[in-house]
Amino acid sequence: DNLVVNGFSDWFLPSKDELALMRDNLYLNGLGNFDTYRYWSSSEQNASSAWWEAMDSGNKAYTSKPNTYFVRAVRVF
């Protein structure tokens, strides 16, 4: 929420659709130094659940927010 990198503070978590694009365009091409495990998206299913995507398999689903998964902050440029 308060991330500042190289002077930029406009970072956000990608939506589930943006995360899928990151998998297709970055991870599958060996770019981005992603782990193979699950990444949170900013897309909520409801107040207590949000969507994730596994980079290796492309599986995606929603689950309870207290679960611990990776995050990848992004910014528009």
Side-chain angles (χ1 to χ4, degrees), residues 1-76:
D1 198 30
N2 296 317
L3 180 64
V4 177
V5 177
N6 295 329
F8 297 102
S9 60
D10 55 346
W11 301 93
F12 61 94
L13 287 184
S15 69
K16 66 180 182 175
D17 295 333
E18 291 167 326
L19 196 56
L21 287 171
M22 291 169 67
R23 178 184 183 270
D24 293 346
N25 293 302
L26 297 174
Y27 176 80
L28 293 179
N29 289 302
L31 302 170
N33 198 30
F34 287 89
D35 194 275
T36 59
Y37 198 60
R38 297 172 181 174
Y39 282 81
W40 280 117
S41 79
S42 63
S43 301
E44 294 183 315
Q45 176 65 19
N46 54 45
S48 61
S49 299
W51 285 85
W52 57 263
E53 180 160 351
M55 289 293 149
D56 58 348
S57 65
N59 289 340
K60 55 191 90 177
Y62 61 89
T63 193
S64 178
K65 291 179 182 178
N67 285 303
T68 303
Y69 299 144
F70 290 102
V71 295
R72 178 60 63 101
V74 298
R75 58 184 297 271
V76 175

